[in-house]
Structures are given as structure tokens and as C-alpha cells.
Amino acid sequence: MRNVMAIAWRDIRSVFVSPIAYVVLTGFTLLAGWFFFNMLGQFNRLVAQYSMLQGMDTTWLNLNDAVITPLLGNLLVVLLIVIPMITMRSFAEEKSSSTFELLFTSPVRVGEMVLGKYLASAFLVTAMIAIALVFPAILFVYGNPEVGITMAGFLGLYLTALTFVAAGNFTSALTSNQIIATISAMVILLLLFVIGWPAEGAGEPIKSILVYLSVTEHFQSMIKGVLDTRDLVYFASVSVVFLFLTHRAVESARWK
Amino acid sequence: MIEVKNLTKTYGSITAVDDVSFQVATGQAAGFLGPNGAGKTTTMRIITGFMPATAGTVKVDGFDVFEDSFEVRKRIGYLPETPPLYLEMTVRSYLRHVGKLKAIARTAVAGAADRVIEECGLEQVAGRLCGHLSKGYRQRVGLAQALIHEPAVLILDEPTIGLDPAQIIEIRSLIRRLTTDRTVILSTHILPEVQQICAKVVIINGGHIALEADIAELVRERSLEEEYLRHVSGDAGLAGPQAAGRATSSEGDAAHA
């Protein structure tokens, strides 16, 4: 455990002493703020328009459906692009420099390296999502969105992001080239996004399998405020699979 | 004590190290010589546990590098060809980080870092970023990280490569000071360096051991340089025409001198 923390702490510090962390956090906050501003503006226009019409059912027009849900969807797309860039360094950078030799000639287990690297990337992603919580906080001050749905939605975003981190670390462990690591991580994440597309026309059991594998399916159900163990199990198991694959990839790098 | 027995390493169809065996006694310093691509770095990487061998065994102080990898890693200090520095860290925080990785007790890490900073003459640069250091200082930090856990065995891969003459002399005297009571394998291309630091020489060529001898005995008849050229150009057919040509011209030079 001490080695895990040593490796994680070093990686976190390295990101925060360089401009990387600040560029990522600023860019993410800027984009999230722009989404939020525009969705809220649109919501206000709709409320103003519908309030002039008498007797219309406007219960569908609420902050959760009109602002928070689309905001979470957009943030997920941003994370899909940003997370591969956060995780690309984790192993690829060490492999391209001699620090990989330092790690492997020190009494450190491969599992400890994998966990340490994962925690370091997860830390930055946690900071990003913590900052994004400021937007629902604003809504709670000036309006009354549903607490449960909002929290479930953000939890869904967070768990999806952590799964992306595990996948990104895996591609970084496969190569010493950071560009290859980034692009292959993006491909994997996009595939997880769209793998459910052919499900509609497919027969069982392919249909259920595709739906189960699709990250969007589980994300959508959490955005609706449904806290289902099946979704939690999905995120946990996909993360564990990627961490395991990372372990194998790092281990095999020595045998080549 | 380092025992290398029948060590073989292949990369795909290329055999980098072929049935290599040699020993370095406890407290002895061995110079590891050979042309570029002869298998020096591969052998050293296997001894340190960085990569597994295809066949054969390596024992360090009785521990097998593959079976008891962690026991070996705790006993070995390793300076790879490029010092394994994190360029965005300061020298002091880097050395403390390495101390943690080398399983030094929590309370002793800061003290160990200060000790190697002093031993390697890094007081002036302890607060500077590794990335801002000159090559000579980077090499010293590399030595410091290899020494931080007070290893009984030291593996140094071309520690003076790419340094200017003044830096070479500094690093060399530092190595001599630090290696007095340690088992050392030092790879280098500078033959006088071996004579100054080591009691033993191992020459590897084309993946095979060409010579394993005590330097004192060896240099009684010929100079180390002559011995080196004799063993390295011995199988010129293996090494290729370029190497053969180089060896002949050097021999010519030697004859001329």
C-alpha cells in the first residue's frame, strides 16, 4: 500500500507542478460553464414563453430534464476526449524513459504500480467532477431541482469517468508512444459508447449483451435517477477488467 | 557475490546473450567490457531483475533474481545507461521518492536522501529540478539513487558516457570512493577506468564471454588495451567486416606506437 501511495503521489505532484493539471481543470470548467450558461438560458426562455400560455401542462419543464441531464451528457463527451489525454502519460512516459527500469528494479509489485497510476489519474478526474458540482449547486440556490436525481446523475458521470481512466491506463501500458496511447484509448471509449447501436435490430442474446456492454445504457439509467446495482456492478467490473489487462500488459512489457 | 550461469537471452530470432557465465566475488569490482551491442546492457538488466532471462540463472548473494526477485532488488543498486530521473522533480524530492520505492523505513527516508546528497556532492543542487541539471550532475543523481538503500551490490551501466573530461574524473573518483566495500559490475568503454576501479575484467563479445580474468595477472604480459582488442577482434567473422576493419586499424595504431 505504501508503494501504491508513493507512486500515486509522485504522479499527482508531477501533474500539479506542471501546467497540465491547470490547463485541464481550466479548460474543463470553461466548457462546462459554457454548456451550463446556454442550457440555463434556454430553460429561462422556455419558462417565459410557456408562462404566457394558460392551462398548459408544464410539469415536464424542470431543471433536471432541461439543464442537468443535457449538461451531464455534454460533460461525458468532454471527458471522453480529455481522459485519454490525462492517462496517456501514466505508463507510456515511464516506458519511453529509463524510469521504467527504476520501477522494475525496485521492490515494487506490478499491481502496486497499476493501482498507483490509476489512483493518480483518478485524482485529477475527481477534481474535475468536484468542480463541475458547482453548477448544480447554483441551481439549488436559485431553484429546486430533485436532489436524488441530480446526485445519481453526477455519480453516474463520476463512475463512467473512473471506468474511462482504467481503460486509458490500459492503452498507456501497451505502448511507449503517448499519441498511440491516446488514440487507442479514444477508440476504446467511443466503442463503449456506441457498442449498443446495433442492439435494436439484433435478436437475443446478442441484443442483451450489446445493451449490457454499452456505457451509455448504464449512464442513461443513472441520469434518470435510478440507482441500480446492475449499473454499479457494470462500472466496477469494466474497471476491474481494464486494471487486470493493464497488469498483464505491464508485466508482459518486461518479457519482450 | 554475483553468479551468472549459462545465461541466454533472445529477442525473437536475435540472440543477444548466448550461454554467458561468470562470477564476481563479494566486495570485488568487475569491469564489464565489450563493443556496443555485445550484450552488456542486456546482461546487466537481467542481473538487476529488470527483465527475465530466456535460459540460465543469476544469483545475487545466493538469491535467484527470478525466484527471489524482491530480495535481489533490495540488495542491488542500479544505474542504467540514462539516469532514471523524473525531470520535473527536485533532486531532494526525487531521492526521497526513490527511497520510498526501495522500501526504506518511513522515518529513515529523509535521512537516507540527505546522506546520498552529501556522498555524491549534490548539496548545491538539492533544491533544483532534475531537468535543469547538467549531464554530470544528472549522473551523480543517478549514482545517488542507486546508493540510497545502501545496497551491497552495485551495477553501473556506462556511468561516464557523454561526460566532459572534468566530469569523467569527478564521477570516476566518486565511484572509486563508493565502491570500496561493495560488489560492483561496471560497464564502460574506457579501459583505464577499469584498471583504476576494478580488480577483475569480463569481456563480452557477440553475446559470448571472451575473457574473464584478474586484471593484475592479465596486464603482466600485455596492456589491457591489447588484451581487449585481441579478444574482441578474435571472432571478427561474427562481428562483421566493419568491426574487423576497425580492430585491424587499431592494432596498426598500436604497432605504430
Side-chain angles (χ1 to χ4, degrees):
Chain A
M1 200 57 207
R2 188 176 165 228
N3 286 335
V4 174
M5 292 322 288
I7 290 170
W9 179 232
R10 197 217 74 79
D11 276 21
I12 291 168
R13 271 179 40 166
S14 120
V15 165
F16 277 88
V17 296
S18 73
I20 298 172
Y22 307 101
V23 171
V24 167
L25 291 173
T26 311
F28 182 75
T29 313
L30 188 75
L31 282 173
W34 182 248
F35 296 145
F36 180 69
F37 171 76
N38 283 294
M39 281 151 193
L40 201 58
Q42 198 183 14
F43 176 75
N44 278 336
R45 278 196 302 280
L46 282 174
V47 170
Q49 279 169 17
Y50 278 94
S51 64
M52 285 188 280
L53 304 168
Q54 299 278 314
M56 280 281 288
D57 177 25
T58 54
T59 46
W60 60 272
L61 190 60
N62 60 66
L63 281 170
N64 279 94
D65 288 340
V67 180
I68 293 175
T69 302
L71 175 70
L72 287 169
N74 287 341
L75 290 185
L76 187 67
V77 175
V78 175
L79 288 175
L80 191 134
I81 298 163
V82 174
I83 287 176
M85 296 182 183
I86 293 174
T87 56
M88 69 177 188
R89 298 168 73 230
S90 66
F91 285 100
E93 194 179 42
E94 307 251 9
K95 282 168 93 174
S96 62
S97 75
S98 55
T99 52
F100 202 54
E101 288 181 70
L102 169 65
L103 280 179
F104 266 108
T105 53
S106 301
V108 179
R109 275 171 235 285
V110 174
E112 292 172 326
M113 295 177 207
V114 172
L115 218 52
K117 296 279 177 192
Y118 171 77
L119 288 179
S121 310
F123 181 86
L124 185 55
V125 169
T126 306
M128 287 161 73
I129 290 175
I131 289 175
L133 281 173
V134 83
F135 303 113
I138 292 170
L139 294 182
F140 279 113
V141 172
Y142 295 103
N144 53 348
E146 286 274 348
V147 182
I149 299 176
T150 312
M151 293 322 280
F154 267 85
L155 182 65
L157 183 73
Y158 186 48
L159 294 179
T160 313
L162 291 181
T163 310
F164 286 2
V165 167
N169 269 336
F170 167 59
T171 61
S172 181
L174 289 175
T175 171
S176 55
N177 183 318
Q178 298 188 28
I179 294 171
I180 293 176
T182 313
I183 292 175
S184 28
M186 280 182 183
V187 170
I188 290 180
L189 299 189
L190 272 170
L191 276 177
L192 282 177
F193 233 67
V194 299
I195 200 167
W197 283 8
E200 222 153 297
E204 294 292 349
I206 308 281
K207 183 177 175 164
S208 315
I209 294 172
L210 289 177
V211 167
Y212 183 78
L213 286 178
S214 160
V215 82
T216 13
E217 205 66 35
H218 300 275
F219 180 62
Q220 289 299 342
S221 91
M222 290 195 80
I223 272 191
K224 285 179 200 139
V226 185
L227 213 54
D228 192 334
T229 36
R230 265 181 308 180
D231 299 324
L232 302 180
V233 167
Y234 169 81
F235 289 119
S237 49
V238 174
S239 299
V240 168
V241 166
F242 276 119
L243 288 174
F244 173 74
L245 290 175
T246 312
H247 185 283
R248 302 321 298 160
V250 174
E251 183 66 46
S252 81
R254 295 164 69 209
W255 291 81
K256 282 174 190 153
Chain B
M1 161 120 187
I2 303 169
E3 287 174 272
V4 178
K5 234 183 242 166
N6 308 113
L7 194 71
T8 300
K9 174 76 187 178
T10 56
Y11 299 100
S13 60
I14 299 160
T15 305
V17 176
D18 191 7
D19 201 25
V20 158
S21 302
F22 64 91
Q23 289 193 359
V24 184
T26 306
Q28 192 178 40
F32 199 31
L33 305 177
N36 286 326
K40 296 193 297 288
T41 298
T42 302
T43 308
M44 292 173 121
R45 283 179 160 183
I46 294 169
I47 296 172
T48 56
F50 175 67
M51 53 163 71
T54 312
T57 56
V58 177
K59 283 191 175 170
V60 175
D61 283 350
F63 293 101
D64 186 284
V65 290
F66 192 70
E67 304 289 329
D68 296 304
S69 184
F70 275 30
E71 291 303 320
V72 172
R73 292 182 197 192
K74 282 177 199 161
R75 286 167 174 76
I76 282 192
Y78 174 43
L79 172 60
E81 209 172 322
T82 325
L85 306 182
Y86 291 107
L87 301 182
E88 73 281 8
M89 293 177 99
T90 64
V91 171
R92 183 173 277 115
S93 62
Y94 167 73
L95 289 172
R96 285 181 181 176
H97 174 65
V98 176
K100 284 185 217 161
L101 292 182
K102 301 284 180 187
I104 295 175
R106 200 177 295 270
T107 47
V109 167
D114 290 342
R115 191 196 82 240
V116 288
I117 284 172
E118 199 206 311
E119 275 179 1
C120 298
L122 292 165
E123 294 95 338
Q124 301 290 323
V125 297
R128 284 174 62 185
L129 297 182
C130 292
H132 290 173
L133 299 181
S134 69
K135 225 168 176 180
Y137 269 120
R138 287 186 192 196
Q139 211 68 36
R140 285 178 187 226
V141 179
L143 269 175
Q145 67 80 27
L147 291 163
I148 193 159
H149 53 306
E150 302 190 67
V153 178
L154 209 50
I155 311 279
L156 308 174
D157 195 352
E158 304 197 12
T160 53
I161 198 167
L163 302 181
D164 69 40
Q167 291 170 330
I168 290 181
I169 292 166
E170 279 172 18
I171 292 289
R172 200 181 287 163
S173 64
L174 186 59
I175 292 174
R176 211 166 27 209
R177 210 155 14 96
L178 297 170
T179 54
T180 42
D181 49 356
R182 291 191 165 95
T183 312
V184 181
I185 295 184
L186 167 81
S187 98
T188 179
H189 286 303
I190 305 170
L191 301 179
E193 196 163 284
V194 177
Q195 263 176 305
Q196 286 174 27
I197 299 172
C198 305
K200 179 176 183 163
V201 62
V202 177
I203 297 178
I204 186 169
N205 187 26
H208 300 276
I209 294 291
L211 175 78
E212 181 184 359
D214 282 328
I215 289 182
E217 283 176 34
L218 192 70
V219 297
R220 231 171 264 160
E221 288 175 24
R222 289 196 187 85
S223 75
L224 185 59
E225 195 170 18
E226 284 171 311
E227 281 291 343
Y228 176 81
L229 290 172
R230 204 160 68 94
H231 285 94
V232 165
S233 57
D235 44 3
L238 259 180
Q242 206 188 344
R246 199 172 58 222
T248 332
S249 71
S250 323
E251 265 168 7
D253 288 349
H256 184 72

